[in-house]
Amino acid sequence: QVQLVESGGGLVQAGGSLRLSCAASGRTFSNYAVGWFRQAPGKEREFVSAITWNGGNRYYEESVKDRFTISRDNSENTVYLQMNSLKPEDTAVYYCAARAGIYSYIVSRSTSYGYWGQGTQVTVSS
């Protein structure tokens, strides 16, 4: 079992930046792939980005590609999501999620991730 805690959300103007952190505790974090998802009011939760257990593979949803960067530091049991050039449509609650297993491929289905954090609010004003 792994526990996840997100931080780093907040209010930022359009064009600004935020860095989200997902801190893990519990089982060996390096055995987990981690994904970021977001949910805006009245919308379904959607995939944003994910990274494999060793950082060797990363994937981004099309609308955030070239603006967001996912990374991880297994020595610190933390995954980061650097968000640049933020837009009002990026406003949502952002969740990190962990998927057990050493895989070389990325999975974007939320149902494949068994562990979730409580979420952190990101609000981008125009």
Side-chain angles (χ1 to χ4, degrees):
Q1 182 117 349
V2 63
Q3 293 79 41
L4 305 173
V5 178
E6 303 95 334
S7 62
L11 173 63
V12 64
Q13 288 189 330
S17 298
L18 285 173
R19 188 176 80 157
L20 304 184
S21 298
C22 173
S25 61
R27 302 294 292 271
T28 305
F29 184 57
S30 59
N31 291 343
Y32 292 78
V34 175
W36 285 97
F37 295 78
R38 65 187 180 186
Q39 187 167 19
K43 295 188 177 181
E44 293 188 353
R45 189 172 297 185
E46 65 173 359
F47 172 81
V48 175
S49 181
I51 189 167
T52 50
W53 64 281
N54 62 349
N57 198 359
R58 311 170 195 206
Y59 186 75
Y60 301 92
E61 191 270 330
E62 192 63 32
S63 69
V64 308
K65 199 177 294 184
D66 299 326
R67 297 189 298 123
F68 291 9
T69 301
I70 191 170
S71 61
R72 69 188 297 160
D73 184 342
N74 285 343
S75 68
E76 296 292 329
N77 288 347
T78 303
V79 170
Y80 303 97
L81 186 68
Q82 178 67 44
M83 306 187 297
N84 299 328
S85 302
L86 282 162
K87 304 175 181 180
E89 50 264 43
D90 294 319
T91 295
V93 177
Y94 283 70
Y95 300 89
C96 68
R99 176 175 182 249
I102 299 177
Y103 302 100
S104 61
Y105 55 89
I106 293 290
V107 174
S108 62
R109 293 186 311 273
S110 61
T111 53
S112 295
Y113 293 80
Y115 305 95
W116 291 80
Q118 83 290 347
T120 186
Q121 176 71 48
V122 171
T123 303
V124 184
S125 63
S126 57

